[in-house]
Amino acid sequence: MEYSILVTFYEKIESTTKRLEMTDLLVTLFKKTPPTIIDKVVYLTQGRLYPEYVGIELGVAEKLALRALSMATGLSLEELEAELKRAGDIGVAAERALSRKKVKSLLDFVSSAQALARKLMVEEVYNTLDKVARATGEGAQDTKISLIASLLRHASPKEAKYLMRTITGRLRLGIADMTILDALAIAFCGGKDARSLVERAYNLSSDLGHVARVVSESGLEGLKYFKITIGRPIRPMLAERLTTAEEILEKLGGKCVAEYKYDGERIQAHKLSSNVILFSRRLENITHHYPDACEIIRNHVKAEEAIVEAECVAIDPDTGEMRPFQELMHRRRKYGIEEAIKEYPVSLFFFDCLYVDGQDLTNQPYPKRREVLMKILEPSERAMPATYRIIDRVDELEGFFEEAISEGCEGLVCKSLAPDSIYQAGARGWLWIKFKRSYQSKLVEPIDVTVVGAFWGKGKRAGKYGALLCAVYDPDADMFKTVCKVGSGFTDEDLEKIPGILQPYVIEHRHPRVDSKMKADVWFTPSVVIEIIGDEITLSPLHTAGLGVLKPDAGLAIRFPRFTGRWRFDKSPEDSTTVKELVEMYKMQLKKIET
Ligand code: ATP
């Protein structure tokens, strides 16, 4: 398939502001794509080469990309740097540069015409980019430059635009996984009704390219053979939330297993013999951050093959007490890992078991999974099962909650014991309910919101962002709906940092997945998640979260929102608080006011 087909599609996607149009465009593209390369096309449209968990990223530095461009066009590095400054976007700079490529001689002209006559193919682009991403060590820079230049020589200006964006990791079309699943169901499985089956395959593998390949080759039939594989992360099951013990017990049928909610980092560990891979909540491969955690799994999980989940918590080596979440973040570093292990040691608290020696446990009820977990776990000071209690009384649940808090936990996760208490991969459901500490003087507990826009500041904040437009997520519509403008809670250091953090996501118009009545000064592709807290949730005609759900023409807004200081880089935008959760929180708040 010619790369230009993909480029035409990119252009159309970029100009649409409608989510449905985006899906239609994808359906057309997928139908056009040969099954043998559909996985690659899926990854490329997401600006990547592999599923996220593989951890091989494109992200060539701009300077290096410009050197390749210089090699391919004959234009000097200085000219290209000036062009980039004018354009503000490496893609546009490359497009312009190619249009005014320097031809030094007749021979040059002929070879350049010949190069252009040969069309760029998707396979060639993919394989070359793969080599670029994998080149390491001595001479890697030169290898990368000549590989990139070899593509640019055959590229049209438009192709160069998207090639450069892809290479530098800036192809941000904002196509969500869910949009791709919709498109795959429509293109190959007879329509949107098949979406849940396609989604299950995705939830068990986290590999959209692999799922695309299976359905494009064998349609629905192919999904039957879908199996859990060690090394392919399972998308995590998530908890709903309620604020009183009474409601929780009622929701869980009067009885549940309550477990400490540890305040650390969720880890999904895959063990195959002595090999261990660790995935984060966002399914990044974080094995290299935690060699000590790998060692714990190696020594204390007694199964040849296993997939288990645990919360990794920083502990005080002297007292064994748990340290707060922020301390653990010191472990998320590239260098100095050995020192960090000593300074911030961790313990693992195991809470689920999804697969053991060829047996898929995700469809087993929780008590069964827990039983298997206890069988394969050899506990030690550093490897413990999550503290739990089976509870059927409100006062007991409240007491256990207090105990968890006093032990340094965030609260409890209350889990269903019912026969249908399966592991709902990739879903937030009522089989798990979190019970977190509420913030006394505040009606609102912290929520996670995605930054979708920004407003320029005034006075002391002139030239910087004064406030951020934030949104919650609506999974049904796959849209981000605004809920507040946040301007307080930021330290001076935060204010300095924010433009840099958000710069890679700046786009020219409102993103098609953002629903907003407000007109931001700057728009972003939904990417960055922050935690905020406010005084209460109010009805508001200005915001689109829950618009019309409680009152016609009114949505929900957070009153006096403040940044809590927590950047949730561990969350993807789709992990933000949902509209449904916000509506529930609003109803809960009304109840509290009434009583
Ligand atoms: P939060 O921001 O509250 O941590 P979340 O969106 O990351 O929430 P939820 O599914 O809502 O995730 O809450 C459950 C989270 O709590 C898990 O992702 C996990 O990291 C953590 N956790 C701690 N202890 C447990 C436990 N015993 N069982 C399940 N999850 C636990």
Side-chain angles (χ1 to χ4, degrees):
M1 186 163 92
E2 287 174 16
Y3 184 59
S4 61
I5 297 182
L6 213 54
V7 163
T8 313
F9 161 81
Y10 289 160
E11 282 191 294
K12 287 187 185 153
I13 280 271
E14 246 182 2
S15 61
T16 181
T17 51
K18 296 194 190 83
R19 157 86 168 63
L20 282 180
E21 222 170 84
M22 219 175 190
T23 315
D24 291 345
L25 285 165
L26 275 169
V27 171
T28 315
L29 174 72
F30 291 161
K31 283 189 173 163
K32 256 192 204 161
T33 308
T36 47
I37 58 161
I38 197 163
D39 44 354
K40 295 178 172 143
V41 166
V42 166
Y43 303 136
L44 284 175
T45 53
Q46 292 200 305
R48 48 180 54 256
L49 296 171
Y50 293 96
E52 208 170 341
Y53 66 80
V54 174
I56 295 181
E57 300 285 342
L58 276 164
V60 168
E62 269 183 359
K63 193 102 197 205
L64 205 141
L66 286 184
R67 278 169 62 194
L69 190 59
S70 164
M71 201 184 238
T73 57
L75 298 172
S76 73
L77 205 53
E78 292 71 38
E79 277 176 276
L80 292 173
E81 272 167 356
E83 187 64 77
L84 174 59
K85 215 166 185 183
R86 274 194 300 275
D89 168 78
I90 192 138
V92 176
E95 183 179 16
R96 289 184 191 159
L98 249 80
S99 314
R100 54 189 196 90
K101 193 163 163 179
K102 272 207 176 130
V103 181
K104 292 190 205 105
S105 62
L106 185 63
L107 200 67
D108 203 13
F109 175 77
V110 174
S111 69
S112 150
Q114 276 171 347
L116 270 180
R118 186 167 81 62
K119 299 267 180 255
L120 267 185
M121 305 303 278
V122 171
E123 293 88 326
E124 181 189 359
V125 169
Y126 182 90
N127 293 338
T128 311
L129 295 187
D130 192 29
K131 284 185 196 146
V132 171
R134 286 174 190 270
T136 51
E138 213 181 313
Q141 288 217 350
D142 292 337
T143 312
K144 286 184 194 218
I145 292 172
S146 56
L147 284 165
I148 299 167
S150 76
L151 286 179
L152 291 171
R153 276 197 202 98
H154 299 291
S156 67
K158 279 261 177 302
E159 288 172 331
K161 173 176 171 183
Y162 291 101
L163 272 176
M164 286 297 254
R165 283 189 185 162
T166 308
I167 287 162
T168 52
R170 302 241 157 107
L171 181 85
R172 297 202 170 87
L173 299 172
I175 303 174
D177 295 352
M178 296 303 145
T179 317
I180 292 185
L181 291 177
D182 276 350
L184 288 175
I186 297 168
F188 305 115
C189 304
K192 251 187 135 170
D193 288 351
R195 173 43 210 278
S196 59
L197 282 170
V198 185
E199 196 172 336
R200 174 160 166 82
Y202 174 54
N203 285 335
L204 291 184
S205 67
S206 311
D207 186 345
L208 277 178
H210 182 51
V211 177
R213 185 118 184 208
V214 169
V215 293
S216 80
E217 273 168 2
S218 11
L220 272 178
E221 192 60 18
L223 295 179
K224 283 191 198 152
Y225 305 101
F226 227 90
K227 287 219 168 78
I228 289 177
T229 343
I230 298 276
R232 280 205 174 109
I234 297 169
R235 304 220 318 130
M237 170 168 180
L238 299 171
E240 284 286 354
R241 70 166 97 196
L242 284 172
T243 43
T244 67
E246 214 166 5
E247 287 163 319
I248 292 175
L249 271 181
E250 195 189 312
K251 195 84 188 173
L252 292 171
K255 191 172 174 181
C256 70
V257 52
E259 290 178 358
Y260 278 8
K261 184 176 192 305
Y262 297 92
D263 196 8
E265 169 157 29
R266 183 177 189 155
I267 276 182
Q268 188 179 104
H270 288 225
K271 176 177 187 273
L272 177 60
S273 207
S274 62
N275 295 317
V276 175
I277 309 174
L278 305 179
F279 294 107
S280 71
R281 182 190 182 290
R282 283 189 77 169
L283 309 181
E284 296 149 308
N285 187 329
I286 49 167
T287 314
H288 55 289
H289 290 302
Y290 296 111
D292 47 346
C294 292
E295 196 59 23
I296 295 174
I297 308 262
R298 221 171 273 129
N299 295 335
H300 295 277
V301 173
K302 300 290 172 194
E304 178 63 12
E305 283 184 305
I307 301 178
V308 289
E309 285 196 314
E311 191 83 354
C312 176
V313 183
I315 51 148
D316 184 327
D318 299 327
T319 61
E321 271 175 17
M322 287 186 269
R323 286 168 156 183
F325 173 77
Q326 276 83 351
E327 301 243 337
L328 188 71
M329 286 297 103
H330 294 287
R331 293 293 305 270
R332 284 290 202 118
R333 57 166 84 176
K334 255 195 176 149
Y335 307 104
I337 292 187
E338 285 306 316
E339 294 87 81
I341 290 178
K342 285 198 198 103
E343 213 176 323
Y344 304 99
V346 296
S347 279
L348 298 184
F349 295 92
F350 292 83
F351 61 80
D352 220 315
C353 178
L354 313 181
Y355 177 89
V356 174
D357 294 333
Q359 210 194 340
D360 176 351
L361 298 168
T362 56
N363 279 325
Q364 299 289 334
Y366 184 54
K368 173 75 189 165
R369 301 202 305 279
R370 177 108 200 174
E371 189 189 310
V372 178
L373 176 66
M374 297 308 270
K375 259 193 208 141
I376 61 167
L377 184 69
E378 196 180 85
S380 80
E381 247 185 14
R382 290 293 176 83
M384 277 160 290
T387 300
Y388 77 100
R389 197 175 294 170
I390 303 213
I391 286 178
D392 58 6
R393 280 198 353 245
V394 171
D395 58 340
E396 207 184 343
L397 190 56
E398 280 164 352
F400 194 49
F401 173 75
E402 293 306 329
E403 178 189 310
I405 298 283
S406 66
E407 290 288 328
C409 291
E410 263 192 301
L412 299 172
V413 184
C414 303
K415 302 181 178 179
S416 165
L417 290 165
D420 66 351
S421 57
I422 58 164
Y423 187 89
Q424 291 175 317
R428 193 182 285 285
W430 290 105
L431 294 176
W432 286 7
I433 304 175
K434 57 184 168 185
F435 186 12
K436 290 216 258 190
R437 193 189 344 213
S438 59
Y439 289 73
Q440 259 128 40
S441 60
K442 313 279 178 273
L443 283 169
V444 182
E445 53 183 313
I447 61 167
D448 297 315
V449 289
T450 297
V451 181
V452 296
F455 300 87
W456 292 117
K458 298 190 184 84
K460 250 174 70 186
R461 291 194 187 175
K464 294 182 203 139
Y465 293 145
L468 303 179
L469 181 61
C470 296
V472 288
Y473 182 53
D474 178 350
D476 298 330
D478 186 26
M479 294 286 284
F480 291 89
K481 310 218 162 162
T482 70
V483 71
C484 63
K485 240 171 98 171
V486 191
S488 38
F490 299 106
T491 60
D492 289 346
E493 199 191 333
D494 287 330
L495 291 169
E496 285 298 324
K497 270 195 333 206
I498 290 171
I501 293 176
L502 292 169
Q503 176 54 34
Y505 310 107
V506 172
I507 44 173
E508 276 169 19
H509 51 71
R510 180 182 54 74
H511 192 272
R513 292 171 68 214
V514 170
D515 186 4
S516 173
K517 287 190 185 179
M518 286 195 178
K519 269 207 162 91
D521 295 329
V522 183
W523 293 104
F524 307 111
T525 300
S527 306
V528 175
V529 180
I530 60 173
E531 187 185 74
I532 60 158
I533 191 162
D535 279 4
E536 61 175 312
I537 306 172
T538 55
L539 286 168
S540 158
L542 298 176
H543 289 284
T544 54
L547 186 67
V549 175
L550 295 147
K551 201 175 157 211
D553 296 329
L556 291 174
I558 306 290
R559 196 163 120 96
F560 300 131
R562 291 176 294 284
F563 177 49
T564 63
R566 268 189 161 195
W567 293 92
R568 296 299 307 253
F569 294 123
D570 59 325
K571 289 200 166 185
S572 70
E574 291 80 16
D575 293 327
S576 304
T577 300
T578 60
V579 170
K580 216 169 93 198
E581 284 178 292
L582 197 72
V583 170
E584 286 307 316
M585 286 166 82
Y586 178 75
K587 287 183 184 159
M588 210 72 78
Q589 177 189 297
L590 281 186
K591 259 197 221 163
K592 275 193 195 160
I593 294 169
E594 280 160 14
T595 51

